[in-house]
Amino acid sequence: YPLGLELSKSNKLGCSEGQEICFEVLSTIPHDPTSFTQGLTYSNGILYESTGQYGSSKVRKLDPVTGDVLLSMDMDGRYFGEGMTIADNNQLVQITWKEQQGFVYDSSTLQRTGDFVYTTNTNEGWGITYIPELNQLVVSDGSDFFTLLE
């Protein structure tokens, strides 16, 4: 388990009686304290991170064992980076917090290959995930609604 989490149906450290799924932290990795993780996804041995802060948001590739930054790309300062996921063809898809702007990146080079505009119930983007069986992106916005993107 390269990310340091092990899921189990048994009663492990930190689990309460009757819990269905428990976890045990196997290890931790160092992280830049000035980077505020908003999105985190793992694919093909690489940890991808979206950090958020106006003027210092980044998209980064990290070594999942050491936490070393393998590659980093600064976002335009007007965007606050939020959730990120891996979609078809190993494309990274990232959303922004209040700008209703999304970006697509090549996962190898972190070069931007596309962008899109989206709307949610609150006009904010928080988290994003990809459902491969449906070829569907799902965005959360802090409300009790999910937004499906094509």
Side-chain angles (χ1 to χ4, degrees), residues 43-148:
S43 179
N44 297 320
I46 299 292
L47 195 56
Y48 295 92
E49 178 184 38
S50 170
T51 69
Q53 197 73 305
Y54 286 111
S56 61
S57 290
K58 300 175 183 66
V59 175
R60 307 190 315 173
K61 289 172 66 169
L62 306 173
D63 182 305
V65 175
T66 65
D68 292 342
V69 177
L70 304 174
L71 188 61
S72 182
M73 191 275 305
D74 293 337
M75 294 180 67
D76 184 306
R78 64 188 159 151
Y79 296 114
F80 189 112
E82 276 286 345
M84 177 182 288
T85 192
I86 292 276
D88 272 348
N89 301 320
N90 279 328
Q91 294 179 321
L92 289 172
V93 181
Q94 178 195 37
I95 56 174
T96 56
W97 180 29
K98 293 185 176 183
E99 296 76 29
Q100 298 176 309
Q101 183 71 49
F103 301 105
V104 180
Y105 303 92
D106 178 285
S107 63
S108 297
T109 65
L110 299 186
Q111 293 300 308
R112 200 165 89 195
T113 60
D115 54 70
F116 58 95
V117 175
Y118 66 93
T119 303
T120 66
N121 193 51
T122 64
N123 293 323
E124 294 182 358
W126 289 25
I128 187 169
T129 193
Y130 177 68
I131 304 171
E133 297 81 8
L134 302 175
N135 193 29
Q136 188 80 65
L137 291 165
V138 182
V139 173
S140 67
D141 63 5
S143 74
D144 55 347
F145 292 95
F146 291 109
T147 301
L148 306 177

Side-chain angles (χ1 to χ4, degrees), residues 16-38:
S16 300
E17 185 66 32
Q19 277 186 295
E20 285 290 317
I21 298 177
C22 307
F23 69 91
E24 178 181 358
V25 176
L26 301 176
S27 65
T28 60
I29 58 174
H31 186 265
D32 176 2
T34 65
S35 290
F36 301 99
T37 303
Q38 301 298 324

